[in-house]
Amino acid sequence: MMHISELETPALLIDLDVMERNLVRVAAYAREHGLRLRPHTKTHKTPALGKRQVELGAAGLTVAKVGEAEVMAQAGGPGLLVAYPIIGASKLARLAAVARNMPVTVSLDSEEAARQLSEAGSRHGVSFGVLVEVDLGFGRVGVDPLAAALSLIRFVRAQPCLSWEGIAFYPGHIKLLDEAGMATLRHVTDLLSRCLESLHDSGLVPAVVSGGSTPTLFQSHLVSGMNEIRPGTYIFNDRNTVASGACAWGDCAATLLVTVISNAKSGQVLIDGGSKTFSSDTMAGGSEAEFGRIVEAPQSRFFKMNEEHGFVDVSASGDAFAVGDRLRVIPNHICVAVNLHERMYGVRGERVECVWQVEARGKLQ
Amino acid sequence: MMHISELETPALLIDLDVMERNLVRVAAYAREHGLRLRPHTKTHKTPALGKRQVELGAAGLTVAKVGEAEVMAQAGGPGLLVAYPIIGASKLARLAAVARNMPVTVSLDSEEAARQLSEAGSRHGVSFGVLVEVDLGFGRVGVDPLAAALSLIRFVRAQPCLSWEGIAFYPGHIKLLDEAGMATLRHVTDLLSRCLESLHDSGLVPAVVSGGSTPTLFQSHLVSGMNEIRPGTYIFNDRNTVASGACAWGDCAATLLVTVISNAKSGQVLIDGGSKTFSSDTMAGGSEAEFGRIVEAPQSRFFKMNEEHGFVDVSASGDAFAVGDRLRVIPNHICVAVNLHERMYGVRGERVECVWQVEARGKLQ
């Protein structure tokens, strides 16, 4: 059994007990409220972890890209949701190959995407489930939830190789469940109600109403009409999740183990991780420019990054570190950080208990 | 021969003619001014391209990490410079293995790093060259260029398995060669002169004085005393390089080929590349938040990203794109973008002439 001190840095560590607790908590929440849980695997990109989510009762796994679907098919389970419009014959042929082995649902927001998907189904002898993506205010993908949604659902239902399963949305514009966030949540819920009414009035009852975002995760049962959630980050959590109020520091399972490589400048230490280790993501919706929380020195400020250098200001906190000292850092955004690493190390205390290859890392197509 | 239209997106394209012109231009500039050119391979992370830089007269290749050194050793050439303090016995053992086959120089800024490096040389029966890193105002790694540099050089010279070769610095605080940038450049040059004088006075004449940054690349001959440059970005260039004044749009060899996946919201198109395709790097030193230049629609604004979604505002430019249309995007910072891709496609016009694996991608240790 390896000890953490034997790992070369920077290394991505996953606290196995914290991760398991996070997985169980959300699975229990979903079960308690009768919500389908279709975890987004973009956060961990690792079939072994997708498999654990399936064991804990997931109604399938969510991916963003065909390459992720190909990898995550190894995790098994009831099926895959590709929460992204897939465009182009070549990618669709690959997706059809996945659909030969397990049910595949795609969320999309255009007739063109629906037409291409159905054609691929027809060409390769498979059918696809479809969720029609509606925009409840985030302004990314998604059609208007009233007239346009109705029209697109009818179009989907008319395609030979598509089976309409419901609607999907992503309320990513709710950053914090403060007063403004609660008002936005009410607005989303209201828009969703009107969308569902309009569908019911037209005799179209969606089996799946899929939504949810991390800040609102544990308020999902308040969104009347929604029956499925697709959280991703909850498996590890990060600085953003803590800031949103959806978890505490002790729920952050992922840390970057780094080494102090220079303290030549007074009041500052340099760590061996920068934008190629953490990503350059700043905090969601904020102007604050810190890049992580140093577990051993939470009062210090990780204020700047270059590609391989992290700048930590210890002048105010009074922390002193020597070249060679090791620190653990909770990143701002774990999903993009994981994507930069070849491996993750599962740890308990100071012991490294397992190593996962991040198999869907960089599967951009 | 493949046509670009056959590639799945997002795909990283390299215009072979532009790249070759960039490589030749900088090699000629260095030769003309008697400067050693030790290109930083962090930008391309690809041995075949390092090999081309060696063929064009590079005095060796530069890397940041041991994993990059292991990969880039395949490119051959006079030797490798690891422009980063390497800490820890395990990494140093791997670096010693590289040093068995070719000369390896490390730049460092602490006695601890020098002591560890020499011990590794002794343990594994190799010796390492050393550049002592001095800080000429950037405030990252690097000791004070006067007293502290002298002391560290003496320490390095006293270690059994180290050979002191010179000094290194990085003037990354010069972002633009405007009036302020020129003043900073003069300050750097002045500080360097005083550093070199102090070394000469002590009988320590550095064989290598290694510096340079991309914005100041073609002014390197004005920095009196510097005899080596380590540019990286020049092979491809990017939006930052154009903004710094060191190249024109036509010198940008790298573009991201993306597909429009949604235009459901009026005045906006969504492309299939976000922070996992481009990185979330904003422009160096600026508050402007655009994430790339759309070649086909330079007046449009790539104003926001999520992990796999790019938001392009076409409301002011009046551009209209259909789902399935393809666009090419010049990224803000090509070095971090390359690191997110498994492959790069070398293109001439619309033809794909070669594919490179980005072999040193994600080699963080």
Side-chain angles (χ1 to χ4, degrees), chain B residues 267-336:
Chain B
Q268 174 177 290
V269 297
L270 269 288
I271 56 176
D272 62 350
S275 60
K276 283 179 174 168
T277 296
F278 290 93
S279 94
S280 39
D281 268 27
T282 50
M283 291 287 277
S287 59
E288 180 246 278
E290 288 188 44
F291 296 100
R293 175 186 169 92
I294 315 283
V295 175
E296 292 81 0
Q299 303 304 315
S300 66
R301 287 181 59 249
F302 181 2
F303 69 99
K304 181 176 167 181
M305 293 192 298
N306 294 152
E307 287 163 57
E308 304 287 7
H309 296 85
F311 295 64
V312 181
D313 181 350
V314 293
S315 62
S317 65
D319 298 298
F321 296 104
V323 171
D325 281 355
R326 289 177 161 213
L327 302 170
R328 287 172 71 163
V329 186
I330 298 171
N332 285 350
H333 187 187
I334 188 60
C335 309
V336 284

Coordinates of all heavy atoms in Angstrom, one line a residue, chain B residues 267-336:
Chain B
G267 N -30.0 36.0 -31.9 CA -28.8 36.8 -31.7 C -27.6 36.1 -31.1 O -26.6 36.7 -30.9
Q268 N -27.7 34.8 -31.0 CA -26.7 34.0 -30.3 C -26.5 32.7 -31.0 O -27.5 32.1 -31.4 CB -27.0 33.8 -28.9 CG -26.1 32.9 -28.1 CD -26.5 32.9 -26.6 OE1 -26.4 33.8 -25.8 NE2 -27.0 31.7 -26.2
V269 N -25.3 32.2 -31.1 CA -25.1 30.8 -31.5 C -24.2 30.2 -30.5 O -23.3 30.8 -29.9 CB -24.4 30.7 -32.9 CG1 -25.3 31.2 -34.0 CG2 -23.0 31.3 -33.0
L270 N -24.4 28.9 -30.3 CA -23.6 28.0 -29.4 C -22.7 27.2 -30.2 O -23.2 26.5 -31.2 CB -24.6 27.1 -28.6 CG -25.1 27.7 -27.2 CD1 -23.9 27.7 -26.2 CD2 -25.7 29.0 -27.3
I271 N -21.4 27.1 -29.9 CA -20.5 26.3 -30.5 C -20.1 25.1 -29.6 O -20.2 25.3 -28.4 CB -19.3 27.0 -31.0 CG1 -18.6 27.8 -29.8 CG2 -19.7 28.0 -32.1 CD1 -17.3 28.5 -30.2
D272 N -19.6 24.0 -30.2 CA -19.3 22.8 -29.4 C -17.9 22.9 -28.8 O -17.2 21.8 -28.8 CB -19.5 21.6 -30.2 CG -18.7 21.4 -31.4 OD1 -18.0 22.4 -31.8 OD2 -18.7 20.4 -32.1
G273 N -17.5 24.0 -28.3 CA -16.2 24.1 -27.6 C -16.4 25.1 -26.5 O -16.9 26.2 -26.7
G274 N -15.9 24.7 -25.3 CA -15.9 25.6 -24.1 C -14.6 25.5 -23.4 O -13.6 25.4 -24.0
S275 N -14.7 25.6 -22.0 CA -13.5 25.7 -21.3 C -12.7 24.4 -21.3 O -11.5 24.4 -21.0 CB -13.8 26.0 -19.8 OG -14.6 25.1 -19.2
K276 N -13.3 23.2 -21.7 CA -12.6 22.0 -21.8 C -11.9 21.9 -23.2 O -11.2 20.9 -23.5 CB -13.4 20.8 -21.5 CG -13.7 20.6 -20.0 CD -14.6 19.4 -19.7 CE -14.6 19.1 -18.2 NZ -15.7 18.1 -17.9
T277 N -12.2 22.8 -24.1 CA -11.6 22.8 -25.5 C -10.6 24.0 -25.6 O -9.6 23.8 -26.3 CB -12.8 23.0 -26.5 OG1 -13.6 21.9 -26.4 CG2 -12.2 23.1 -27.9
F278 N -11.0 25.2 -25.1 CA -10.2 26.4 -25.2 C -9.3 26.7 -24.0 O -8.4 27.4 -24.1 CB -11.1 27.6 -25.5 CG -11.7 27.6 -26.8 CD1 -13.0 27.0 -27.0 CD2 -11.1 28.1 -28.0 CE1 -13.6 27.0 -28.2 CE2 -11.7 28.1 -29.2 CZ -13.0 27.5 -29.3
S279 N -9.7 26.1 -22.8 CA -9.3 26.6 -21.5 C -10.1 27.9 -21.2 O -10.6 28.5 -22.1 CB -7.8 26.9 -21.4 OG -7.5 28.3 -21.6
S280 N -10.1 28.2 -19.9 CA -10.9 29.4 -19.6 C -10.0 30.6 -19.5 O -10.4 31.6 -18.9 CB -11.7 29.2 -18.3 OG -11.0 28.4 -17.4
D281 N -8.8 30.6 -20.0 CA -7.9 31.7 -20.0 C -8.5 32.9 -20.6 O -8.9 32.9 -21.8 CB -6.5 31.4 -20.7 CG -5.5 30.8 -19.7 OD1 -5.9 30.2 -18.7 OD2 -4.3 31.0 -20.0
T282 N -8.5 34.0 -19.9 CA -8.9 35.3 -20.5 C -7.6 35.9 -21.1 O -6.5 35.3 -21.0 CB -9.5 36.2 -19.4 OG1 -8.7 36.2 -18.3 CG2 -10.9 35.7 -19.0
M283 N -7.7 37.1 -21.6 CA -6.5 37.7 -22.2 C -5.5 38.1 -21.1 O -5.9 38.6 -20.0 CB -6.9 38.9 -23.0 CG -7.7 38.5 -24.3 SD -6.6 37.8 -25.5 CE -6.0 39.2 -26.3
A284 N -4.3 38.0 -21.4 CA -3.2 38.4 -20.5 C -3.3 39.8 -20.0 O -3.4 40.7 -20.9 CB -1.8 38.1 -21.0
G285 N -3.4 40.0 -18.8 CA -3.3 41.4 -18.2 C -4.5 42.3 -18.6 O -4.5 43.5 -18.3
G286 N -5.6 41.7 -19.1 CA -6.7 42.5 -19.5 C -8.0 42.1 -18.8 O -8.1 41.1 -18.2
S287 N -8.9 43.0 -18.8 CA -10.2 42.7 -18.2 C -11.2 42.2 -19.3 O -12.3 41.8 -18.9 CB -10.8 43.9 -17.4 OG -10.9 44.9 -18.3
E288 N -10.8 42.3 -20.5 CA -11.7 42.0 -21.6 C -12.0 40.5 -21.5 O -11.1 39.7 -21.4 CB -11.0 42.3 -22.9 CG -11.7 41.9 -24.2 CD -11.1 40.8 -25.0 OE1 -10.1 41.1 -25.7 OE2 -11.6 39.7 -24.8
A289 N -13.3 40.1 -21.6 CA -13.7 38.7 -21.5 C -14.2 38.2 -22.8 O -15.4 37.9 -22.9 CB -14.6 38.6 -20.3
E290 N -13.3 38.0 -23.7 CA -13.7 37.2 -24.9 C -12.7 36.1 -25.0 O -11.6 36.1 -24.5 CB -13.6 38.1 -26.2 CG -14.7 39.1 -26.3 CD -14.8 39.8 -27.6 OE1 -14.7 39.1 -28.6 OE2 -15.0 41.0 -27.6
F291 N -13.2 35.0 -25.6 CA -12.4 33.7 -25.5 C -11.9 33.3 -26.8 O -11.3 32.2 -26.9 CB -13.3 32.7 -24.8 CG -13.7 33.0 -23.4 CD1 -14.9 33.6 -23.1 CD2 -12.7 32.9 -22.4 CE1 -15.2 34.0 -21.8 CE2 -13.0 33.3 -21.1 CZ -14.3 33.8 -20.8
G292 N -12.0 34.1 -27.8 CA -11.4 33.7 -29.1 C -11.9 34.6 -30.2 O -12.9 35.4 -30.0
R293 N -11.2 34.5 -31.3 CA -11.6 35.3 -32.5 C -12.2 34.4 -33.5 O -11.6 33.4 -33.9 CB -10.4 36.0 -33.1 CG -10.7 36.8 -34.4 CD -9.4 37.3 -34.9 NE -9.5 37.9 -36.2 CZ -9.7 39.2 -36.5 NH1 -9.9 40.0 -35.5 NH2 -9.7 39.6 -37.8
I294 N -13.5 34.6 -33.9 CA -14.1 33.7 -34.9 C -13.6 34.2 -36.2 O -14.0 35.3 -36.7 CB -15.7 33.9 -34.8 CG1 -16.2 33.8 -33.4 CG2 -16.3 32.8 -35.7 CD1 -16.2 32.5 -32.7
V295 N -12.9 33.4 -36.9 CA -12.3 33.8 -38.2 C -13.3 34.2 -39.2 O -13.2 35.2 -39.9 CB -11.4 32.6 -38.8 CG1 -10.9 33.0 -40.1 CG2 -10.3 32.3 -37.8
E296 N -14.4 33.4 -39.3 CA -15.5 33.7 -40.3 C -16.4 34.9 -39.8 O -17.2 35.4 -40.6 CB -16.4 32.5 -40.5 CG -15.7 31.3 -41.2 CD -14.8 30.5 -40.2 OE1 -14.8 30.9 -39.0 OE2 -14.2 29.5 -40.6
A297 N -16.2 35.3 -38.6 CA -17.1 36.4 -38.1 C -16.4 37.2 -37.0 O -16.8 37.2 -35.9 CB -18.4 35.8 -37.5
P298 N -15.4 37.9 -37.5 CA -14.5 38.6 -36.5 C -15.2 39.7 -35.7 O -14.7 40.1 -34.6 CB -13.4 39.2 -37.3 CG -13.8 39.1 -38.7 CD -14.8 38.0 -38.8
Q299 N -16.4 40.1 -36.2 CA -17.1 41.1 -35.4 C -18.0 40.5 -34.4 O -18.6 41.3 -33.5 CB -18.0 42.0 -36.4 CG -17.2 42.7 -37.5 CD -16.1 43.6 -36.9 OE1 -16.2 44.3 -36.0 NE2 -14.9 43.4 -37.5
S300 N -18.2 39.2 -34.4 CA -19.0 38.6 -33.4 C -18.2 38.5 -32.1 O -17.0 38.7 -32.1 CB -19.5 37.2 -33.8 OG -18.3 36.4 -33.9
R301 N -18.9 38.2 -31.0 CA -18.2 38.2 -29.7 C -18.4 36.8 -29.0 O -19.5 36.5 -28.6 CB -18.8 39.3 -28.8 CG -18.3 40.7 -29.2 CD -18.9 41.7 -28.2 NE -18.5 41.5 -26.8 CZ -19.3 41.0 -25.8 NH1 -20.5 40.8 -26.0 NH2 -18.8 40.8 -24.6
F302 N -17.3 36.1 -28.8 CA -17.3 34.9 -28.1 C -17.1 35.2 -26.6 O -16.1 35.3 -26.1 CB -16.1 34.0 -28.6 CG -15.9 32.7 -28.0 CD1 -16.8 32.1 -27.1 CD2 -14.8 31.9 -28.4 CE1 -16.5 30.9 -26.6 CE2 -14.6 30.7 -27.9 CZ -15.4 30.1 -27.0
F303 N -18.3 35.4 -26.0 CA -18.3 36.2 -24.7 C -18.4 35.3 -23.5 O -18.2 35.8 -22.4 CB -19.4 37.2 -24.7 CG -20.8 36.6 -24.7 CD1 -21.5 36.5 -23.5 CD2 -21.4 36.1 -25.8 CE1 -22.8 35.9 -23.4 CE2 -22.7 35.5 -25.8 CZ -23.3 35.5 -24.6
K304 N -18.7 34.0 -23.6 CA -18.9 33.2 -22.4 C -18.6 31.8 -22.8 O -18.8 31.3 -23.9 CB -20.4 33.4 -22.0 CG -20.8 32.6 -20.7 CD -22.2 33.0 -20.3 CE -22.7 32.0 -19.3 NZ -24.1 32.3 -18.9
M305 N -18.2 31.0 -21.8 CA -18.0 29.6 -22.0 C -18.6 28.8 -20.8 O -18.5 29.3 -19.6 CB -16.6 29.2 -22.1 CG -15.9 29.7 -23.3 SD -14.2 29.0 -23.5 CE -13.4 29.6 -22.0
N306 N -19.1 27.6 -21.0 CA -19.3 26.6 -20.0 C -18.3 25.5 -20.4 O -17.5 25.7 -21.3 CB -20.7 26.1 -19.9 CG -21.7 27.1 -19.4 OD1 -22.8 27.0 -19.7 ND2 -21.2 28.1 -18.6
E307 N -18.4 24.3 -19.8 CA -17.3 23.3 -20.1 C -17.3 22.9 -21.5 O -16.2 22.8 -22.1 CB -17.5 22.1 -19.2 CG -17.1 22.4 -17.7 CD -17.7 21.4 -16.8 OE1 -17.4 20.2 -16.9 OE2 -18.4 21.8 -15.8
E308 N -18.5 22.7 -22.1 CA -18.5 22.2 -23.5 C -19.3 23.1 -24.4 O -19.5 22.8 -25.6 CB -19.1 20.8 -23.6 CG -18.5 19.7 -22.7 CD -17.1 19.2 -23.2 OE1 -16.6 19.8 -24.1 OE2 -16.6 18.3 -22.6
H309 N -19.7 24.3 -23.9 CA -20.5 25.2 -24.7 C -19.7 26.5 -24.9 O -19.2 27.1 -23.9 CB -21.8 25.6 -24.1 CG -22.8 24.4 -23.9 ND1 -22.7 23.5 -22.8 CD2 -23.8 24.0 -24.7 CE1 -23.7 22.7 -23.0 NE2 -24.4 22.9 -24.0
G310 N -19.7 27.1 -26.1 CA -19.2 28.4 -26.3 C -20.3 29.3 -26.7 O -21.1 28.9 -27.6
F311 N -20.5 30.5 -26.1 CA -21.6 31.4 -26.4 C -21.0 32.5 -27.3 O -20.1 33.2 -26.9 CB -22.1 32.1 -25.1 CG -22.7 31.2 -24.1 CD1 -22.0 30.2 -23.5 CD2 -24.0 31.3 -23.7 CE1 -22.6 29.4 -22.5 CE2 -24.6 30.5 -22.8 CZ -23.9 29.5 -22.1
V312 N -21.6 32.6 -28.5 CA -21.1 33.7 -29.4 C -22.3 34.6 -29.7 O -23.4 34.2 -30.2 CB -20.6 33.0 -30.7 CG1 -20.1 34.1 -31.7 CG2 -19.5 32.0 -30.5
D313 N -22.1 35.9 -29.4 CA -23.1 36.9 -29.6 C -22.9 37.4 -31.0 O -21.9 38.0 -31.4 CB -22.8 38.1 -28.6 CG -23.8 39.2 -28.7 OD1 -24.6 39.2 -29.7 OD2 -23.8 40.1 -27.9
V314 N -23.9 37.2 -31.9 CA -23.9 37.7 -33.2 C -24.9 38.8 -33.4 O -25.2 39.2 -34.6 CB -24.2 36.5 -34.2 CG1 -23.0 35.5 -34.2 CG2 -25.5 35.8 -34.0
S315 N -25.5 39.3 -32.3 CA -26.6 40.3 -32.5 C -26.1 41.6 -33.1 O -26.8 42.2 -33.9 CB -27.2 40.6 -31.1 OG -26.2 41.1 -30.2
A316 N -24.9 42.0 -32.8 CA -24.4 43.3 -33.3 C -23.7 43.1 -34.7 O -23.9 43.9 -35.6 CB -23.4 43.9 -32.4
S317 N -23.1 42.0 -34.9 CA -22.4 41.7 -36.1 C -23.3 41.4 -37.3 O -23.0 41.5 -38.4 CB -21.3 40.6 -36.0 OG -21.9 39.4 -35.7
G318 N -24.5 40.9 -36.9 CA -25.5 40.5 -37.9 C -25.1 39.2 -38.6 O -25.8 38.8 -39.6
D319 N -24.1 38.4 -38.1 CA -23.8 37.1 -38.7 C -25.0 36.2 -38.4 O -25.5 36.2 -37.3 CB -22.5 36.6 -38.2 CG -21.3 37.5 -38.5 OD1 -21.1 37.6 -39.7 OD2 -20.7 38.0 -37.6
A320 N -25.2 35.3 -39.3 CA -26.3 34.3 -39.1 C -25.7 32.9 -39.4 O -25.1 32.7 -40.5 CB -27.5 34.5 -39.9
F321 N -25.8 32.0 -38.5 CA -25.3 30.6 -38.7 C -26.3 29.6 -38.4 O -27.1 29.8 -37.5 CB -24.0 30.4 -37.9 CG -22.9 31.3 -38.2 CD1 -22.6 32.4 -37.4 CD2 -22.2 31.1 -39.4 CE1 -21.5 33.2 -37.8 CE2 -21.1 31.9 -39.7 CZ -20.8 33.0 -38.9
A322 N -26.3 28.5 -39.2 CA -27.3 27.4 -39.0 C -26.6 26.3 -38.1 O -25.4 26.2 -38.1 CB -27.7 26.9 -40.3
V323 N -27.5 25.6 -37.5 CA -27.0 24.4 -36.8 C -26.3 23.5 -37.8 O -26.8 23.2 -38.8 CB -28.2 23.6 -36.1 CG1 -27.7 22.3 -35.6 CG2 -28.8 24.5 -35.0
G324 N -25.0 23.1 -37.4 CA -24.2 22.3 -38.4 C -23.2 23.1 -39.1 O -22.2 22.5 -39.6
D325 N -23.3 24.4 -39.1 CA -22.2 25.2 -39.7 C -20.9 25.1 -38.9 O -21.0 24.9 -37.7 CB -22.6 26.7 -39.7 CG -23.6 27.1 -40.8 OD1 -23.9 26.2 -41.7 OD2 -24.1 28.2 -40.9
R326 N -19.8 25.2 -39.6 CA -18.5 25.1 -38.9 C -17.8 26.4 -38.9 O -17.8 27.2 -39.9 CB -17.7 24.0 -39.6 CG -18.3 22.6 -39.3 CD -17.5 21.5 -40.0 NE -17.8 20.3 -39.4 CZ -17.0 19.3 -39.2 NH1 -15.8 19.4 -39.8 NH2 -17.3 18.2 -38.6
L327 N -17.1 26.7 -37.8 CA -16.4 27.9 -37.7 C -15.0 27.6 -37.2 O -14.7 26.5 -36.7 CB -17.1 28.8 -36.7 CG -18.5 29.2 -36.9 CD1 -19.2 29.9 -35.7 CD2 -18.6 30.1 -38.2
R328 N -14.1 28.6 -37.5 CA -12.7 28.4 -36.9 C -12.4 29.5 -36.0 O -12.8 30.7 -36.2 CB -11.7 28.3 -38.1 CG -11.8 27.0 -38.8 CD -11.0 27.0 -40.1 NE -9.5 26.9 -39.8 CZ -8.6 26.6 -40.7 NH1 -9.0 26.2 -41.9 NH2 -7.3 26.6 -40.4
V329 N -11.8 29.2 -34.9 CA -11.6 30.1 -33.8 C -10.1 30.2 -33.4 O -9.5 29.1 -33.2 CB -12.4 29.7 -32.5 CG1 -12.3 30.8 -31.4 CG2 -13.9 29.4 -32.9
I330 N -9.6 31.4 -33.3 CA -8.2 31.6 -32.8 C -8.3 31.8 -31.3 O -9.0 32.7 -30.8 CB -7.6 32.8 -33.5 CG1 -7.4 32.6 -35.0 CG2 -6.2 33.1 -32.8 CD1 -7.0 33.9 -35.7
P331 N -7.7 30.9 -30.5 CA -7.9 31.0 -29.1 C -7.1 32.1 -28.4 O -6.1 32.6 -29.0 CB -7.4 29.6 -28.6 CG -6.4 29.2 -29.6 CD -6.8 29.8 -30.9
N332 N -7.4 32.5 -27.2 CA -6.7 33.5 -26.4 C -5.3 33.0 -26.2 O -4.3 33.7 -26.4 CB -7.3 33.7 -25.1 CG -8.6 34.6 -25.2 OD1 -8.9 35.1 -26.3 ND2 -9.3 34.7 -24.1
H333 N -5.2 31.7 -25.7 CA -3.9 31.2 -25.2 C -3.7 29.8 -25.7 O -4.3 28.9 -25.2 CB -3.9 31.3 -23.7 CG -2.5 30.9 -23.1 ND1 -2.4 30.8 -21.8 CD2 -1.3 30.7 -23.7 CE1 -1.1 30.5 -21.5 NE2 -0.5 30.4 -22.7
I334 N -2.9 29.6 -26.7 CA -2.8 28.3 -27.4 C -2.1 27.3 -26.6 O -2.5 26.1 -26.7 CB -2.1 28.5 -28.8 CG1 -2.1 27.2 -29.6 CG2 -0.6 29.0 -28.6 CD1 -3.5 26.7 -29.9
C335 N -1.2 27.6 -25.7 CA -0.5 26.6 -24.9 C -1.4 25.8 -24.0 O -1.3 24.6 -23.9 CB 0.6 27.3 -24.0 SG 1.6 28.5 -24.8
V336 N -2.4 26.5 -23.4 CA -3.3 25.7 -22.5 C -4.4 25.0 -23.3 O -4.9 24.0 -22.9 CB -3.9 26.6 -21.4 CG1 -2.9 26.9 -20.3 CG2 -4.4 27.9 -22.0

